[in-house]
Amino acid sequence: MNKSFYYLIIWSEQKELKRELVKLKVPFTFESANGQCAVVFPDLPVRKYAEVRKLFKGDGLPYPS
C-alpha cells in the first residue's frame, strides 16, 4: 500500500475507528508514532476521502516520504 496521508489518534480510539473504517470499506493500516497511533491511508478517490475526512473531522497530514 502506498502511504499518502495519516491521522494521529490515541490508542484507546483505535478499536472504534477500525470498526468505522471497515464499514466504510476504506483501505488503511495502523502504525506506532511517538507513543501514539497513526492511521495511515493510501491515495483515495474523492468520495472516500470525504468520508474519512468527515469521520476524523478534518484533513489528514501528508505521510513523510
Side-chain angles (χ1 to χ4, degrees):
M1 175 179 89
N2 69 328
K3 298 173 182 178
S4 179
F5 65 98
Y6 69 100
Y7 292 89
L8 288 176
I9 62 168
I10 56 175
W11 283 101
S12 61
E13 297 174 333
Q14 183 203 28
K15 188 174 182 179
E16 181 60 32
L17 282 170
K18 180 179 180 180
R19 199 171 307 143
E20 293 298 319
L21 291 168
V22 168
K23 282 184 197 176
L24 294 174
K25 298 180 181 173
V26 175
F28 67 93
T29 188
F30 291 109
E31 294 182 6
S32 181
N34 299 324
Q36 290 185 301
C37 180
V39 188
V40 182
F41 298 90
D43 287 329
L44 296 174
V46 174
R47 288 185 179 158
K48 286 293 180 187
Y49 181 74
E51 292 174 350
V52 169
R53 189 176 184 276
K54 183 177 178 181
L55 178 65
F56 285 93
K57 299 178 175 86
D59 291 316
L61 301 169
Y63 194 86
S65 43

